[in-house]
Amino acid sequence: MSKKRKKHIITWSIIILVLLVAGWFSFGPGISNNTPKQRVVTIGVVGESNSEHVIWQHVAQKAKRDYGIIVKTKVFTDYNQPNKALRDGEIDLNAIQTTTFMHTWSKANHANIVSIGKTYIAPIRLYSKKYHKLSQLPQGATIAIPNDAATESRALHVLKNAKLIRLTAGKKLKTIADITSNPRHIKIKEVSDEQCARIINSVDAVIVNNDFAVPAGLGPKETIYVEPINKESAGAINNICTTAAKKNDPDYQHVVKCYQTAETKKLYRKFYGSMQQAVWDVELK
């Protein structure tokens, strides 16, 4: 075989090899085209504290590693905004509400928001910077409570269980109009959720939702009464929610699975101690 012919064969062999290699990386098994496309799932939260940020960071890492899902949080300042954003399709999920609040808000706003996974129950507390015991509250004490329907009802039940007031029977959601007895002449001041912790110094005591109590630095030192937890507390269970039309979305279910883990329970204990209890695998008695 002539040198010219050998050179010609070698040249074409190289060209064919280059084409085969290029084809392998374009269409072969190692290709990115066959890799599942990553999906972003945005979750609405309220007043995200550092501890909550760490918990969702853990969830995001697991979701990305196990399912290729990018989890992002969007922080809101009150409890109405993330439900509106969920209803309007601006976010995919939210993790901001109790079961009672979810049903009440959905009915009032003609939305069909549903739970796709339980998270925790956080006993709400009566806090004071003026008194160290419930028994120290004076006659005519002023107590501030959140004014949204679901949390107000829950707060009134806390005052009832603390034997400060009595309420009418029946009717799930209570208002101050349902107070039937107030022997210590407690003055109840209704304010927005986000204002409760801020006015603690100007009232005798205040009931603060945990989402605002923790960032405000309220803890055992300021606590004078803790909400009892039992089977009547079902409405106080917190949830990961979406709209009914999207409740079976597999990626959303995967995010819930990444949240409901032993590691999340450990983070609850680390950051909240007894203030927050996982309930996705617990039966309230």
Side-chain angles (χ1 to χ4, degrees), residues 52-105:
E52 189 174 9
H53 176 74
V54 171
I55 290 170
W56 281 111
Q57 209 171 35
H58 154 70
V59 175
Q61 289 169 354
K62 184 171 176 58
K64 184 176 181 180
R65 181 180 68 245
D66 294 355
Y67 302 104
I69 299 170
I70 306 298
V71 173
K72 293 184 177 181
T73 56
K74 182 173 182 179
V75 181
F76 296 89
T77 56
D78 66 49
Y79 291 97
N80 289 302
Q81 293 175 354
N83 269 347
K84 289 177 182 176
L86 190 59
R87 179 195 60 192
D88 298 340
E90 296 171 9
I91 58 176
D92 304 299
L93 305 170
N94 67 35
I96 58 99
Q97 61 200 315
T98 63
T99 301
T100 298
F101 185 88
M102 176 184 70
H103 290 314
T104 303
W105 195 94

Side-chain angles (χ1 to χ4, degrees), residues 130-147:
K130 295 180 180 179
Y131 306 101
H132 302 294
K133 297 179 182 177
L134 186 66
S135 59
Q136 293 176 337
L137 282 178
Q139 288 280 328
T142 298
I143 298 177
I145 66 173
N147 65 1

Side-chain angles (χ1 to χ4, degrees), residues 126-268:
L126 184 62
Y127 297 99
S128 177
K129 287 197 173 181
K130 295 180 180 179
Y131 306 101
H132 302 294
K133 297 179 182 177
L134 186 66
S135 59
Q136 293 176 337
L137 282 178
Q139 288 280 328
T142 298
I143 298 177
I145 66 173
N147 65 1
D148 76 79
T151 314
E152 177 175 345
S153 179
R154 186 180 178 188
L156 289 170
H157 276 96
V158 170
L159 299 183
K160 181 201 78 170
N161 288 323
K163 302 188 185 312
L164 295 175
I165 61 172
R166 290 182 181 176
L167 297 169
T168 56
K171 185 185 173 188
K172 290 185 177 181
L173 285 181
K174 305 295 185 184
T175 68
I176 55 174
D178 294 302
I179 298 174
T180 59
S181 176
N182 185 1
R184 295 173 66 175
H185 307 291
I186 299 296
K187 299 181 182 69
I188 297 177
K189 184 174 184 177
E190 300 167 282
V191 299
S192 63
D193 286 275
E194 61 270 21
Q195 288 294 323
C196 286
R198 297 174 188 170
I199 66 168
I200 190 170
N201 291 313
S202 62
V203 294
D204 294 296
V206 59
I207 289 177
V208 184
N209 191 301
N210 282 12
D211 286 336
F212 295 106
V214 174
L218 298 178
K221 182 180 176 182
E222 295 80 19
T223 299
I224 59 174
Y225 186 76
V226 181
E227 175 187 31
I229 297 301
N230 50 40
K231 63 182 180 180
E232 296 179 353
S233 306
I237 290 174
N238 284 269
N239 304 273
I240 295 175
C241 297
T242 190
T243 56
K246 298 177 181 178
K247 66 180 182 179
N248 294 319
D249 187 302
D251 284 345
Y252 296 176
Q253 297 293 336
H254 289 150
V255 171
V256 171
K257 188 175 180 180
C258 290
Y259 188 99
Q260 296 176 338
T261 64
E263 180 62 28
T264 300
K265 288 184 180 181
K266 288 179 184 178
L267 291 172
Y268 281 178

